[in-house]
Amino acid sequence: MLCIASNLSLFVLGLFQKVQKALLQSDVQSKSDKSPVTVADYGSQAVVSLVLEKELSSEPLSLVAEEDSGDLRKDGSQDTLERITKLVNDTLATEESFGGSTLSTDDLLRTIDCGSSEGGPNGRHWVLDPIDGTKGFLRGDQYAVARGLLEEGKVVLGVLACPNLPLASIAGANNNNNSSSIEIGCLFFATIGSGTYMQLLDSKSSPVKVQVSKVENPEEASFFESFEGAHSLHGLSSSIANKLGVKAPPVRIDSQAKYGALSRGDGAIYLRFPHKGYREKIWDHVAGAIVVTEAGGIVTDAAGKPLDFSKGKYLDLDTGIIVANEKLMPLLLKAVRESIAEQEKASAL
């Protein structure tokens, strides 16, 4: 299973390279939630669905994924649909196992909708975010292709392909992309009970086992948060960091690349506090969570409860998501409780 997921990352990377060479603003649509969706989103999901169907033909495929074909079936979307179909067919043509077969636009729509599973506590479910961090992808900054596997509601496998993440540490970085690094593009993978490994995306280099930061003094810790203020309450994160005595400025990057960077010790803490009413989707955290936990980290909600991926497409959380190592977590939880209580008191005045 891990081999399939890892090979998919390298296969899909070729698709992204094609898209980024010719990315135009016209390739961007708006979903109902106004977040950008690119041709690469749909193309990636289609390719992953096709490969999983082929490799796992002996069992029913249950895929929980971010995209569906709804927008592509609307009037005026034919040109976009045809571009995606051509992109996917060009990508499949590079893979001998597909025997030169080509997809029609109807085939593509069906393939994209293979990701319509609801998941749940029973059986085996693949979870996919075809491009996590779409805005980062469009800016040429951080994004990730994230795949995870749930068995009976538990995460047992996770793979993060981060094409723009440098091999060198991003600790202390003030921007999303460390362009001074020669080696860019990292693959992280983890299976339950076996640890987390990292290797370069574009080489045959051997994977190396990684571990989270061992920092125990919060004053020496650095923390990650979402690049977009709309994705997390930066003010609340700042309050928590101040209570901990964190001296380093926050490192703000898009996508689950944060989880990958944390798993190798680039930073020690991750804080995510979405605005009220936002519901976290499992595909935004499944792969990242196991990559961090297998590297020795702890991932919980703001109350210290483990994330529960068995409820379907959404996570039922207490306020937000926090990540740290075992030594820092008790201090982090205390700072989180105090900061949230202060925020609620101020709101009530």
Side-chain angles (χ1 to χ4, degrees):
M1 292 297 179
L2 180 58
C3 182
I4 293 172
S6 297
N7 289 340
L8 267 173
S9 300
L10 301 176
F11 192 25
V12 171
L13 182 61
L15 179 148
F16 291 144
Q17 291 170 335
K18 291 184 179 74
V19 172
Q20 287 195 312
K21 285 181 180 178
L23 185 63
L24 301 173
Q25 191 61 32
S26 59
D27 282 334
V28 182
Q29 296 187 17
S30 291
K31 293 192 295 188
S32 58
D33 65 358
K34 306 303 181 183
S35 63
V37 177
T38 65
V39 168
D41 266 303
Y42 294 113
S44 172
Q45 183 160 316
V47 168
V48 171
S49 298
L50 286 166
V51 174
L52 285 177
E53 280 187 320
K54 182 177 183 300
E55 296 293 337
L56 304 174
S57 58
S58 63
E59 60 182 84
L61 173 63
S62 175
L63 178 64
V64 185
E66 182 174 15
E67 308 301 345
D68 62 54
S69 68
D71 287 346
L72 296 177
R73 295 179 186 273
K74 293 178 180 178
D75 292 342
S77 296
Q78 188 62 31
D79 287 347
T80 301
L81 179 57
E82 290 175 358
R83 284 200 297 274
I84 299 167
T85 305
K86 182 179 185 305
L87 176 68
V88 171
N89 282 329
D90 288 348
T91 303
L92 295 179
T94 65
E95 182 63 28
E96 292 182 2
S97 63
F98 280 90
S101 60
T102 58
L103 299 179
S104 67
T105 54
D106 285 341
D107 292 332
L108 183 85
L109 293 170
R110 179 199 65 79
T111 300
I112 290 171
D113 285 337
C114 283
S116 61
S117 172
E118 293 293 326
N122 301 313
R124 173 181 287 174
H125 308 284
W126 289 88
V127 181
L128 168 70
D129 194 334
I131 299 183
D132 181 34
T134 312
K135 290 183 179 179
F137 175 77
L138 293 172
R139 289 195 311 270
D141 289 328
Q142 297 304 329
Y143 69 97
V145 186
R147 281 157 318 291
L149 180 62
L150 300 177
E151 290 186 350
E152 309 304 324
K154 303 294 184 182
V155 190
V156 297
L157 177 155
V159 178
L160 289 176
C162 307
N164 289 337
L165 188 69
L167 186 65
S169 172
I170 61 171
N174 292 318
N175 51 46
N176 276 21
N177 201 355
N178 185 353
S179 58
S180 65
S181 174
I182 296 175
E183 297 179 306
I184 294 178
C186 297
L187 179 71
F188 300 88
F189 52 91
T191 54
I192 191 75
S194 298
T196 297
Y197 293 82
M198 178 189 72
Q199 68 183 102
L200 278 170
L201 259 177
D202 61 352
S203 75
K204 301 295 184 180
S205 62
S206 299
V208 295
K209 195 169 188 178
V210 295
Q211 289 187 316
V212 298
S213 168
K214 296 184 181 299
V215 169
E216 297 183 19
N217 183 352
E219 292 185 6
E220 300 172 359
S222 60
F223 76 95
F224 294 162
E225 62 181 352
S226 297
F227 183 86
E228 300 287 338
H231 294 168
S232 190
L233 299 171
H234 288 169
L236 178 56
S237 296
S238 178
S239 172
I240 294 166
N242 287 337
K243 287 185 180 298
L244 286 170
V246 174
K247 296 179 179 179
V251 178
R252 293 173 177 167
I253 61 177
D254 298 283
S255 82
Q256 290 179 74
K258 290 185 286 293
Y259 282 112
L262 279 168
S263 74
R264 68 185 188 187
D266 286 12
I269 297 169
Y270 171 28
L271 304 173
R272 181 180 173 94
F273 296 97
H275 291 263
K276 186 175 182 179
Y278 180 81
R279 296 185 73 190
E280 294 282 6
K281 291 90 171 176
I282 63 172
W283 50 73
D284 287 326
H285 302 283
V286 162
I290 190 171
V291 162
V292 167
T293 56
E294 282 297 315
I298 300 174
V299 183
T300 74
D301 68 11
K305 299 176 183 176
L307 304 187
D308 185 354
F309 295 105
S310 70
K311 303 296 185 181
K313 291 184 175 182
Y314 296 95
L315 289 169
D316 294 323
L317 298 176
D318 184 319
T319 309
I321 294 174
I322 58 177
V323 183
N325 63 32
E326 185 178 358
K327 297 292 186 179
L328 286 175
M329 184 56 79
L331 297 172
L332 177 57
L333 280 169
K334 182 176 182 292
V336 167
R337 285 194 297 267
E338 291 176 355
S339 294
I340 291 175
E342 289 175 2
Q343 185 183 68
E344 291 175 346
K345 183 178 179 179
S347 298
L349 294 178

